Amino acid sequence: MTLEAILAYLHLLAILTMVVFISSEAALCRVQWLNAAVVERLAKVDMVYGIAAIAVLATGIARTWWGVKGTAWYWTNPLLHVKLGLFIIVGVLSIFPTLTYFRWRKTLRSTGKLPAEDDIKKTRKLVMVQAHLIALIPLVAVFLARGFGKQ
């Protein structure tokens, strides 16, 4: 039971960290607020967001392997696959903002130029899509935890 509690805690901590940092990206990536310091900060915030996402995945997999319910219970439930599918979609969507932040930072450091307004808006839209998809994952999780989806 202690291992189950620790795994659940670590998973929740990783999720909360991920949510805090995607929220920070959404707050910072605005046309009105973007300056040189924000460009630098966005790259750092996105890096922590990525690390947190990896921790979410790792702790989630650990819960299926070493948790009380075990792999047979989790991996045969289609809701786990829905959760993973949403998580993968969020991960794929996160690639564009990550590459964009690196490009912005490289341009800023070499030329001193800030990104174009359209580029900022497009990137923010993708960050917002990620944030909204992340919010759906716990909905699936609560049904999964209660045994929905099992035949």
Side-chain angles (χ1 to χ4, degrees):
M1 227 18 126
T2 302
L3 179 59
E4 176 70 19
I6 291 169
L7 291 173
Y9 167 74
L10 292 173
H11 192 56
L12 185 57
L13 183 62
I15 291 166
L16 291 173
T17 302
M18 189 175 156
V19 168
V20 164
F21 281 87
I22 192 67
S23 299
S24 297
E25 278 188 46
L28 290 169
C29 191
R30 296 174 185 262
V31 172
Q32 312 88 302
W33 294 6
L34 207 74
N35 58 36
V38 171
V39 169
E40 294 287 344
R41 178 154 300 159
L42 273 168
K44 291 174 187 170
V45 165
D46 187 67
M47 182 180 65
V48 176
Y49 169 66
I51 292 167
I54 291 167
V56 167
L57 185 61
T59 57
I61 290 170
R63 290 189 74 189
T64 68
W65 281 93
W66 298 305
V68 172
K69 293 177 182 171
T71 55
W73 190 90
Y74 279 108
W75 291 98
T76 58
N77 191 317
L79 289 180
L80 178 67
H81 302 280
V82 171
K83 274 182 64 175
L84 279 171
L86 286 168
F87 192 81
I88 289 166
I89 290 168
V90 168
V92 169
L93 288 174
S94 76
I95 293 169
F96 178 80
T98 298
L99 295 176
T100 301
Y101 299 147
F102 288 144
R103 182 172 40 84
W104 290 353
R105 187 172 62 181
K106 183 179 178 185
T107 301
L108 176 70
R109 288 177 177 177
S110 65
T111 68
K113 261 183 92 176
L114 290 173
E117 190 173 311
D118 287 346
D119 203 15
I120 298 166
K121 287 179 179 178
K122 182 171 69 170
T123 304
R124 178 172 163 70
K125 188 176 285 188
L126 278 175
V127 170
M128 294 303 292
V129 169
Q130 288 175 69
H132 286 84
L133 287 174
I134 289 169
L136 294 176
I137 296 172
L139 175 63
V140 178
V142 295
F143 282 96
L144 171 66
R146 283 151 185 83
F148 285 81
K150 294 295 265 182
Q151 277 81 1

